Amino acid sequence: MKINNKPFRSIWVHPEDSKVVQIIDQRYLPHQLIINDLKTVEEAAHAIKEMLVRGAPLIGATAAYGMYFACLEAQSATNVEEYIEIAANQLMETRPTAINLQWALNRQTNAIKSAKNLEDKIAIAFKTANDICDEDVDICKKIGEFGLPLIEKLSKEKNGAPVNILTHCNAGWIATVDWGTATSPIYQAHDKGIAVHVWVDETRPRNQGARLTAWELGEHGIPHSVIVDNVGGHLMQHGMVDMCIVGTDRTTYTGDVANKIGTYLKALAAHDNGVPFYVALPSTTIDWECKDGFTIPIEQRDSKEVTLIQGLHENEIKKVQLTPDKSNAANYAFDVTPARLVTALITEKGICDASEDGILKLFPEKHFDYAQ
Amino acid sequence: MKINNKPFRSIWVHPEDSKVVQIIDQRYLPHQLIINDLKTVEEAAHAIKEMLVRGAPLIGATAAYGMYFACLEAQSATNVEEYIEIAANQLMETRPTAINLQWALNRQTNAIKSAKNLEDKIAIAFKTANDICDEDVDICKKIGEFGLPLIEKLSKEKNGAPVNILTHCNAGWIATVDWGTATSPIYQAHDKGIAVHVWVDETRPRNQGARLTAWELGEHGIPHSVIVDNVGGHLMQHGMVDMCIVGTDRTTYTGDVANKIGTYLKALAAHDNGVPFYVALPSTTIDWECKDGFTIPIEQRDSKEVTLIQGLHENEIKKVQLTPDKSNAANYAFDVTPARLVTALITEKGICDASEDGILKLFPEKHFDYAQ
């Protein structure tokens, strides 16, 4: 999508040096647009762990380039296979919840193993990382195409009045390579001239909504209002939300959805008020081995993300302390929304019920995978 | 309760000048303890409107002293009755949702009207304001006494392991004159040696939990953890919350609860996970004329409360901007939790169902009031 009228992806190969990959350092958005070079496994792992990049698809893409860097670095290693394996483990350990990370690393590892010599490994790792990015753009575009009619239908029911869509966290284009997942139907509706208005959940503690989703939507010219995470229930009680769309970090093959902490609360409110609650996802975020969402590991992050907050003060980015010195804080990063609260999943293959049956209708080839 | 081992109330008459009332300016907590003098109607109205004081009972107490100031100021007014009426209206307009404000102003207006001359009006207004404070302390203490057995029971069931209590916003002693409402059972349990641990919802946008409840509990030595507002549902899904206790700004005589925005979401999660959800309230916050919580006016506040946040940076209190310049924000201050999600109300008269029948059993004298 666009930043200042210039088309961007969230990760791309340096136009003048194919050994360098560039990313937007999302920690400084929306106040500063800082572009970083990644050249090493270490830098790729750091970018994921410290959340310069975030969002399941972008984490996967970054890890894929990380494996490409591993092949480049292996040129000076005594044991190539071992070096690449250690790199894969290092990248895998950066974030425990995102299933895409594992998926991208497995794909890269298999691709790299298939190459006979190191030169070929480098080439195939580069191609695989690029393919993962291009495929992600295509997948996200398709998610939008499938989601668009849901918004169109609501728009018609409202005689063209703005469709109010609530989203949580950032499942936007900068969480993917382009388009986003939850935002893809919104961008496509807006581009088609359908009036939409987005309620943007702030998404404490890291404020991905207030910082990133709001920024994305603003740059693209989509009307939106930032709200604190407490507000969505009230809006739904009062008919001010027509639909919710969120992303997911991992969805079980039974339809349980792990996503940013607080998603579950919005799903409860949607259910209580008859508001449809959609989850937009590339099928790579479906965990075909996980039956019960409550077995998904939930990352606990540094309590400083709760006690300190970053913002702009006199044109400088500063962190301020919110809590008393004496107080502890706990920081659970994700929660699991049970399938019963999810109206439907929007995937690149179509829309389906959030259930084993629904998912298998879209992905019949998976039928025996998990049963083995 | 105590600050630095020294007993405090949240509002008190200046020990050396009975025409001056002192308050803690809660805007600077937990970082600075600033005590302000109130001497005029204007200052009392400002203190309520700008939230130097907040919490339904403390708002009522402050407004009551505001009416005392009105009587003092009326000494130089051409029309005493008119001056006092204008002051009452000015104070009434400061915050639209809190029912205590209306209750305290009505009580003062009636008391002042009963006095024959201005000297008597001043005396009765002073006495009435003091009485409102003393009665509030007594009421909150009783709420704690009735709530305490609920915690004791859970403690026994857990063989003395800490009882995990989630609270939202600040219904603590600094929201009342002393003890608090939601916190009163917690203080009494702790003081009795029962192990408790409080999950303190941050409570965006004004962070009354992270700033005030955390500070109160910390000063009193009660174990607690600050969490962002998104976390409570996850904790309840995992058995990490034994009970919720919140306060209320206004409760209908049918048991619908208006409280800080986000309360509804926690009540939904409690209901979904079988966690008891209690609302602690002085009966003055019951609106005997309101049958349906959804008719309670919900205050919308300045969007800057969402887009800017205040905290401590290098020992100075600073505000930082969280959102992009281009983004709007909406700021709804309260929501309504329907009675069906409330396990019980804890009042100064005892515990009752959140229903017309339940409430009328505790307050039989109200039976015909609202039916008139």
Side-chain angles (χ1 to χ4, degrees), chain A residues 256-325:
Chain A
D256 292 340
V257 172
N259 191 43
K260 185 59 53 193
I261 190 80
T263 302
Y264 166 57
L265 293 171
K266 294 303 139 63
L268 283 170
H271 189 260
D272 199 44
N273 293 286
V275 174
F277 190 91
Y278 296 103
V279 179
L281 69 161
S283 61
T284 46
T285 50
I286 299 173
D287 187 339
W288 300 100
E289 287 172 4
C290 186
K291 185 171 185 174
D292 178 0
F294 289 94
T295 63
I296 296 173
I298 300 297
E299 184 179 1
Q300 286 193 59
R301 296 182 57 85
D302 194 331
S303 65
K304 288 203 173 77
E305 292 186 351
V306 177
T307 60
L308 302 172
I309 197 167
Q310 175 180 289
L312 200 67
H313 179 79
E314 294 172 358
N315 288 318
E316 278 182 47
I317 292 177
K318 288 196 170 143
K319 277 193 177 164
V320 296
Q321 179 183 329
L322 300 175
T323 51
D325 290 335

Side-chain angles (χ1 to χ4, degrees), chain A residues 99 250-253 281-288 347 359 363:
Chain A
I99 186 76
R250 189 188 299 204
T251 291
T252 66
Y253 68 82
L281 69 161
S283 61
T284 46
T285 50
I286 299 173
D287 187 339
W288 300 100
T347 79
I359 292 171
F363 302 94

Side-chain angles (χ1 to χ4, degrees), chain A residues 202 204 224 264 272 327-328, chain B residues 202 204 224 226 264 272 327:
Chain A
E202 172 180 57
R204 283 279 289 147
H224 64 282
Y264 166 57
D272 199 44
S327 294
N328 294 324
Chain B
E202 172 179 56
R204 283 280 289 147
H224 63 282
V226 177
Y264 166 57
D272 200 44
S327 294

Side-chain angles (χ1 to χ4, degrees), chain B residues 258-276:
Chain B
N259 190 43
K260 183 60 53 196
I261 191 78
T263 302
Y264 166 57
L265 294 171
K266 294 301 141 62
L268 282 169
H271 189 259
D272 200 44
N273 293 287
V275 174

Side-chain angles (χ1 to χ4, degrees), chain A residues 72-135:
Chain A
L72 290 171
E73 289 167 21
Q75 293 174 313
S76 55
T78 48
N79 184 330
V80 166
E81 302 296 338
E82 190 188 60
Y83 190 91
I84 291 170
E85 194 184 328
I86 289 170
N89 290 337
Q90 184 185 350
L91 289 161
M92 188 58 220
E93 281 164 13
T94 50
R95 299 286 302 276
T97 306
I99 186 76
N100 272 53
L101 178 59
Q102 194 179 323
W103 170 86
L105 288 171
N106 286 347
R107 181 163 163 185
Q108 271 288 35
T109 304
N110 290 336
I112 291 164
K113 271 186 192 155
S114 73
K116 289 164 205 162
N117 56 49
L118 186 51
E119 197 182 345
D120 286 357
K121 285 182 195 297
I122 292 169
I124 204 163
F126 185 61
K127 182 181 182 306
T128 303
N130 291 339
D131 286 351
I132 283 173
C133 289
D134 291 343
E135 290 166 20

Side-chain angles (χ1 to χ4, degrees), chain A residues 15-280:
Chain A
E16 287 156 22
D17 183 352
S18 67
K19 287 177 184 161
V20 177
V21 167
Q22 295 190 296
I23 56 161
I24 299 166
D25 187 342
Q26 302 190 17
R27 295 173 304 177
Y28 301 104
L29 291 176
H31 309 301
Q32 295 172 2
L33 180 64
I34 293 174
I35 291 167
N36 279 7
D37 290 349
L38 303 182
K39 295 184 291 284
T40 64
V41 175
E42 191 63 38
E43 286 171 352
H46 174 264
I48 299 168
K49 192 173 174 65
E50 298 304 319
M51 298 178 75
L52 285 70
V53 295
R54 14 73 51 207
L58 180 54
I59 286 171
T62 308
Y65 282 115
M67 290 304 290
Y68 163 56
F69 300 143
C71 294
L72 290 171
E73 289 167 21
Q75 293 174 313
S76 55
T78 48
N79 184 330
V80 166
E81 302 296 338
E82 190 188 60
Y83 190 91
I84 291 170
E85 194 184 328
I86 289 170
N89 290 337
Q90 184 185 350
L91 289 161
M92 188 58 220
E93 281 164 13
T94 50
R95 299 286 302 276
T97 306
I99 186 76
N100 272 53
L101 178 59
Q102 194 179 323
W103 170 86
L105 288 171
N106 286 347
R107 181 163 163 185
Q108 271 288 35
T109 304
N110 290 336
I112 291 164
K113 271 186 192 155
S114 73
K116 289 164 205 162
N117 56 49
L118 186 51
E119 197 182 345
D120 286 357
K121 285 182 195 297
I122 292 169
I124 204 163
F126 185 61
K127 182 181 182 306
T128 303
N130 291 339
D131 286 351
I132 283 173
C133 289
D134 291 343
E135 290 166 20
D136 186 65
V137 175
D138 187 52
I139 284 169
C140 287
K141 189 158 179 282
K142 288 202 174 104
I143 288 170
E145 287 163 4
F146 284 114
L148 174 61
L150 300 171
I151 300 176
E152 278 180 313
K153 184 166 174 282
L154 287 166
S155 177
K156 277 179 195 154
E157 285 168 16
K158 296 184 79 176
N159 295 316
V163 178
N164 288 302
I165 302 168
L166 184 141
T167 191
H168 189 71
C169 198
N170 175 261
W173 76 263
I174 55 171
T176 62
V177 179
D178 207 351
W179 291 103
T181 54
T183 55
S184 186
I186 298 170
Y187 284 121
Q188 297 195 26
H190 176 80
D191 289 354
K192 211 181 161 181
I194 298 167
V196 294
H197 168 262
V198 183
W199 295 109
V200 179
D201 269 0
E202 172 180 57
T203 320
R204 283 279 289 147
R206 293 184 64 92
N207 280 31
Q208 290 95 333
R211 293 194 302 112
L212 306 177
T213 305
W215 176 79
E216 270 196 45
L217 296 173
E219 290 291 320
H220 203 80
I222 295 182
H224 64 282
S225 304
V226 177
I227 49 174
V228 298
D229 302 306
N230 286 320
V231 171
H234 171 77
L235 296 176
M236 292 190 228
Q237 285 177 317
H238 291 266
M240 295 162 77
V241 180
D242 298 306
M243 68 191 296
C244 303
I245 315 181
V246 300
T248 172
D249 293 80
R250 189 188 299 204
T251 291
T252 66
Y253 68 82
T254 56
D256 292 340
V257 172
N259 191 43
K260 185 59 53 193
I261 190 80
T263 302
Y264 166 57
L265 293 171
K266 294 303 139 63
L268 283 170
H271 189 260
D272 199 44
N273 293 286
V275 174
F277 190 91
Y278 296 103
V279 179

